[in-house]
Amino acid sequence: MLSLLLRHGWLVLGGVVVLSLPGQAQAQSGAAHRPHARQAVKPPAAPVRAETITVNAQRRDFSYPEAQHVPDADTRLTAARLIERGVVSLRGLERVAPNLTIQSINGTASTNFYLRGVGFNDFTQNNMPSVLSYFDDVPFAFSTMTDGMMFDLAGAEVTPGPVGTRHGQSDTGGEVRLRTNDPTDQWHYGAREDIASYSRSRSEAYVSGPLARGLSFRLAGQTQQGGGWQRDPLNGSHLGDADLWALRGKLKWTPDSHTTLMVSGHFTQDDSEVVNPIPVHRLVGTAPLPVESWQQTQWSMRPEFARLIGRRPGLKPSEHNQFWGADVHFSHDFGPVTFSSISAFETERQGEYTDQDGTALAQADTYRTIDANTFTQEVRLQSSHPHDRLQWTVGAFYQRSRMQQRFFFDYTDYVPQRGYMMATHFGMDQESTSEFGNISYRFDHGVTLWAGLLHEIDDRSISGLQSVIFGGKSQDFHGESTAAAQYAGQAGVSWQAAAHELVYFKISKGFKPGGFTANNTQIQAQLDPFRPETVLTYELGLKSDPIPNRIRLNAAAFYNDYHNQQLVGTVLIPNYGPLSEITNAPKSESWGFEATLDIHPFAHLFVTQNLGWQRGNFQNFPTVNRAATNAYYAQHGVWKAIEDNFAGVDNGQPKLTLNGNAEWRQALGPHYGIDFGPDWLYRDSQAITPGGTGFYRLPPYFLLGAHATFHPASGHWSATVYATNLLNRRYAESGGMATTTYFYLPGAPRFIGGRIACDF
């Protein structure tokens, strides 16, 4: 290579390419060696000064190098990394980010988030989550609305800690932001087909290009089918097949270089079967629990219950969901300032059947319907030149949501305690407004100071709640409402200590409004609103490339000081049993750290390791001790609330989480290459009730995967073989309680698959 560069007049010195062009002298030299060139005697040429062109070449072996100068602890993920790790739903993000837990609620499309141990377990999904999801800067008030949206992605970001002074809403845990691909000014199209074990298939396709001058479009879609790996040992039926399709369209208009208008719309139809629980402990009754393998489960659908809910007999635990929405993005650069507006409307129509006790008995069969919609509007003004010393943003945000939910329960075999079918119905209205601003200034010597403030007013109410026991009595409950007006903010300082080292410190206050517990309501007191939650977070962070393009280390340590942390406690209903209720822990705390290490020790090897560690405890949390209450009932046959204060008790979140991957990238001649390597995930144990031990905790687990991808140098296509849970480990992703049993939701077994992709 060196001789080739020298032969063409190139000199390479320490990453700087110097090109020497001797001008006419070189041209004459070339002519003298052409055999048919006419020779002429000319006077000696005047000395010619060599022209020198300096080309600065930058290697980018790690993604997002510009983010190394941003004082945050965000995890930034490329679309390629998401595809490689099989992240096709929000839950998959916990495999590629530190200190992040995203768990399905009873095996369904609804999810709960925990980031740095900050999270919220909300089965009814009618309250604001602690960690918000954004698609293309549109916040989703109800996480289920994101179902089927994770395709044709451009990338993702996970931001821990309180947010809200630069965009969107305030919350206490952070946010997950996903970006989808925009329309292109040139024609592009592509497709991806993924086929794996248990007849699972995932298909994606897109087309993008210009329609007219300044006008372009993008249309993308996906389908998911099959993949069910659970079986009922009583009849041999299998469970868990996906049945989902989704479409997204975007239209982009740029009438001039300063103005952009983007109109987007999407639709998802999800009729997938869900993962059914495995009972691990019986709370009520003496019937033995079914003894089954990890891939077996039981369920039932009584014809009477099917008629009540208006679904076909023999229905398997499954979804019947529709989601659609549209949004309009507008921005205009006025020179010194840029104005942007984001308007969005989202809807969900959900029908969800779950057999929560995991047995063939009708003791906790549940069917839920949700009709909900949200409208959001955000406007922002911000400085236009990102390299100016002074940067600022001001804006306002508005959200309105409407929801109607109805729960149907079949307790026919739960005798003598119940032995009936019942339904609960309620409506919820919510409205909030907020104003926010953020300012930063870069001083000499690499020091930057910043501060931000948000003020939010939130009003929400629950109404029309009715509980009906079919063949028995009905109860009507009067409505409740709650309002909050709070401030959130942030202040910090960063120092660019060297070209490749940044340190920062910030203090953030997060705010999350209160809400209601609205599941299986039996007494009016269950509708008392829980209070708003606030957290004061201290964070110290480092971003460094000790050896550029060889080693990158980003790390952050944090401390969370909570007031009125919202979490699921227990209330005992006399002659009925314990029920979950969202309540407040007056005082709690958590602390920990996270780190991401990227290593490229030599030409072909790339390694990424994420590490998260956190601890936390309640400093004051009076509640019913569910374990002691259940034990008293088992001994005496009478429900009696055992009151306790969980002061000093661990918050139950996984203390240690690890995930990462290693990849060997090998050229196969000048035209082809192969990338291959393993990936891994470790999660520590997690309590499913405060202070939980024994079966009240999910066991720790370790998963191993691997992949190999063959591709041409052009990158226009690729072929991949992969495996997930390569060791076929038995593990539980989440768990909970369903009237008579405690259950675990089992994780997927080994999947072996292949994927073919093309992009042109």
Side-chain angles (χ1 to χ4, degrees):
M1 177 62 76
L2 179 59
S3 62
L4 181 64
L5 292 172
L6 292 175
R7 189 180 305 130
H8 288 82
W10 295 82
L11 178 63
V12 182
L13 294 174
V16 178
V17 183
V18 179
L19 172 61
S20 179
L21 301 175
Q24 296 176 2
Q26 189 178 39
Q28 292 168 358
S29 175
H33 289 84
R34 291 196 297 270
H36 300 293
R38 186 178 62 180
Q39 302 295 319
V41 179
K42 296 183 179 181
V48 178
R49 186 178 63 183
E51 298 179 14
T52 301
I53 300 175
T54 302
V55 180
N56 292 315
Q58 289 186 337
R59 287 172 47 194
R60 294 194 170 188
D61 293 324
F62 302 136
S63 58
Y64 302 110
E66 66 282 354
Q68 289 299 99
H69 305 285
V70 180
D72 60 32
D74 292 16
T75 299
R76 294 173 171 85
L77 302 160
T78 64
R81 174 59 56 84
L82 297 173
I83 294 170
E84 174 193 304
R85 296 297 299 275
V87 179
V88 295
S89 68
L90 283 175
R91 293 197 298 274
L93 288 170
E94 68 177 11
R95 300 198 295 268
V96 288
N99 271 331
L100 176 64
T101 298
I102 307 177
Q103 293 173 317
S104 166
I105 301 175
N106 295 339
T108 69
S110 302
T111 51
N112 287 324
F113 289 79
Y114 299 89
L115 188 50
R116 290 180 173 175
V118 180
F120 189 47
N121 182 3
D122 183 17
F123 170 67
T124 51
Q125 297 280 284
N126 64 302
N127 299 292
M128 180 178 170
S130 299
V131 180
L132 279 170
S133 304
Y134 287 77
F135 271 84
D136 294 330
D137 291 328
V138 174
F140 283 70
F142 311 120
S143 66
T144 314
M145 288 180 170
T146 64
D147 185 24
M149 294 277 286
M150 291 194 59
F151 63 98
D152 195 33
L153 294 179
E157 297 178 11
V158 178
T159 300
V163 293
T165 64
R166 288 183 171 89
H167 71 275
Q169 291 180 274
S170 172
D171 61 32
T172 51
E175 58 192 24
V176 173
R177 296 190 302 277
L178 296 112
R179 303 182 309 281
T180 63
N181 285 311
D182 287 339
T184 55
D185 295 330
Q186 296 180 333
W187 284 100
H188 291 279
Y189 56 93
R192 181 174 294 106
E193 179 63 37
D194 187 325
I195 298 176
S197 308
Y198 303 95
S199 301
R200 188 186 72 189
S201 69
R202 298 169 178 157
S203 308
E204 294 184 28
Y206 73 90
V207 60
S208 177
L211 294 174
R213 182 181 179 87
L215 184 65
S216 56
F217 83 103
R218 190 178 190 97
L219 182 64
Q222 72 150 336
T223 66
Q224 298 180 18
Q225 302 292 324
W229 47 267
Q230 288 186 303
R231 285 196 175 274
D232 189 334
L234 300 180
N235 54 30
S237 296
H238 83 280
L239 180 68
D241 280 343
D243 183 9
L244 177 150
W245 63 272
L247 286 173
R248 179 187 301 117
K250 288 187 172 184
L251 194 63
K252 181 180 179 181
W253 182 44
T254 52
D256 55 57
S257 60
H258 302 288
T259 307
T260 301
L261 176 67
M262 183 96 73
V263 180
S264 304
H266 63 88
F267 181 91
T268 297
Q269 178 70 47
D270 187 359
D271 294 298
S272 302
E273 297 165 3
V274 304
V275 176
N276 211 50
I278 294 177
V280 295
H281 181 77
R282 180 171 291 283
L283 295 173
V284 177
T286 58
L289 292 175
V291 179
E292 298 151 354
S293 75
W294 199 242
Q295 290 181 230
Q296 291 181 329
T297 184
Q298 295 181 9
W299 67 89
S300 64
M301 166 64 79
R302 295 173 58 252
E304 296 83 359
F305 193 52
R307 286 195 296 269
L308 176 66
I309 65 177
R311 299 295 301 274
R312 59 178 175 81
L315 180 69
K316 295 181 181 181
S318 58
E319 308 277 5
H320 182 52
N321 306 336
Q322 283 186 357
F323 307 94
W324 64 269
D327 53 81
V328 179
H329 291 63
F330 173 79
S331 67
H332 182 78
D333 185 352
F334 289 95
V337 300
T338 297
F339 170 80
S340 61
S341 168
I342 305 171
S343 308
F345 182 77
E346 299 291 336
T347 70
E348 67 173 306
R349 302 290 182 266
Q350 188 171 354
E352 183 180 85
Y353 167 53
T354 54
D355 191 319
Q356 296 177 21
D357 64 332
T359 74
L361 299 174
Q363 296 181 331
D365 295 3
T366 305
Y367 187 74
R368 172 170 70 163
T369 64
I370 302 176
D371 290 333
N373 64 74
T374 65
F375 172 77
T376 58
Q377 174 65 58
E378 179 174 335
V379 292
R380 287 198 302 261
L381 276 176
Q382 60 191 69
S383 50
S384 295
H385 305 296
H387 300 294
D388 287 351
R389 288 177 177 265
L390 178 65
Q391 298 290 314
W392 57 269
T393 299
V394 295
F397 179 85
Y398 171 79
Q399 175 178 287
R400 190 207 68 167
S401 65
R402 300 290 184 264
M403 173 181 284
Q404 293 286 330
Q405 283 202 40
R406 194 170 190 184
F407 286 85
F408 297 87
F409 303 95
D410 190 354
Y411 297 131
T412 302
D413 295 330
Y414 183 10
V415 291
Q417 290 86 349
R418 301 183 194 178
Y420 49 74
M421 296 186 294
M422 67 169 294
T424 298
H425 174 272
F426 70 89
M428 193 201 75
D429 295 340
Q430 176 270 338
E431 191 170 22
S432 65
T433 58
S434 60
E435 308 83 35
F436 57 85
N438 192 281
I439 188 170
S440 68
Y441 189 83
R442 187 180 72 254
F443 294 88
D444 294 332
H445 308 295
V447 175
T448 300
L449 294 176
W450 76 90
L453 186 65
L454 172 141
H455 177 256
E456 181 174 321
I457 299 175
D458 182 273
D459 293 285
R460 57 187 67 212
S461 61
I462 190 168
S463 60
L465 196 146
Q466 182 184 58
S467 287
V468 178
I469 296 177
F470 296 99
K473 64 177 182 178
S474 298
Q475 296 184 79
D476 293 294
F477 302 91
H478 63 74
E480 296 281 357
S481 62
T482 183
Q486 289 269 1
Y487 286 94
Q490 188 178 105
V493 57
S494 67
W495 178 38
Q496 191 74 52
H500 301 288
E501 280 79 35
L502 173 75
V503 293
Y504 68 89
F505 175 75
K506 66 179 180 180
I507 303 174
S508 309
K509 182 196 175 187
F511 158 73
K512 178 176 174 300
F516 306 94
T517 306
N519 177 30
N520 204 354
T521 305
Q522 299 298 314
I523 58 175
Q524 182 67 43
Q526 287 179 265
L527 285 182
D528 291 345
F530 52 87
R531 294 186 296 276
E533 166 186 283
T534 62
V535 62
L536 190 63
T537 298
Y538 304 85
E539 181 178 313
L540 177 65
L542 165 71
K543 288 189 168 182
S544 67
D545 290 82
I547 305 177
N549 299 305
R550 295 296 183 188
I551 299 178
R552 171 179 291 178
L553 175 63
N554 294 343
F558 60 89
Y559 174 79
N560 295 318
D561 182 13
Y562 263 111
H563 292 270
N564 291 319
Q565 181 180 2
Q566 297 168 2
L567 70 162
V568 174
T570 299
V571 59
L572 182 69
I573 308 299
N575 301 318
Y576 192 87
L579 290 176
S580 296
E581 182 178 70
I582 302 172
T583 185
N584 297 90
K587 192 72 173 65
S588 57
E589 62 181 350
S590 63
W591 61 93
F593 66 88
E594 65 227 3
T596 297
L597 177 65
D598 289 300
I599 306 176
H600 177 35
F602 46 84
H604 303 287
L605 182 62
F606 295 79
V607 180
T608 296
Q609 176 64 63
N610 291 316
L611 181 150
W613 182 87
Q614 69 92 28
R615 295 290 304 272
N617 58 56
F618 304 110
Q619 297 165 294
N620 181 22
F621 180 28
T623 188
V624 172
N625 188 321
R626 177 168 286 186
T629 300
N630 290 332
Y632 185 92
Y633 180 86
Q635 182 177 359
H636 302 283
V638 176
W639 288 117
K640 178 183 177 181
I642 308 299
E643 304 287 345
D644 200 354
N645 192 312
F646 281 29
V649 173
D650 185 271
N651 67 5
Q653 288 301 304
K655 295 179 176 60
L656 178 65
T657 58
L658 299 169
N659 61 69
N661 68 287
E663 187 171 67
W664 185 276
R665 302 174 185 173
Q666 179 69 51
L668 301 176
H671 302 297
Y672 297 97
I674 186 170
D675 308 333
F676 59 91
D679 58 78
W680 53 86
L681 167 69
Y682 173 80
R683 299 192 62 75
D684 216 337
S685 66
Q686 177 184 355
I688 52 179
T689 63
T693 59
F695 62 84
Y696 293 97
R697 293 190 73 91
L698 299 175
Y701 62 87
F702 172 80
L703 302 179
L704 182 67
H707 81 282
T709 299
F710 179 73
H711 57 84
S714 66
H716 285 316
W717 60 268
S718 65
T720 302
V721 294
Y722 66 88
T724 59
N725 192 6
L726 188 60
L727 305 178
N728 206 27
R729 292 289 184 90
R730 168 177 171 162
Y731 67 101
E733 287 191 328
S734 62
M737 188 200 81
T739 60
T740 60
T741 65
Y742 261 86
F743 62 82
Y744 290 164
L745 283 166
R750 179 194 298 121
F751 271 78
I752 297 176
R755 181 172 57 244
I756 298 176
C758 63
D759 294 276
F760 296 97

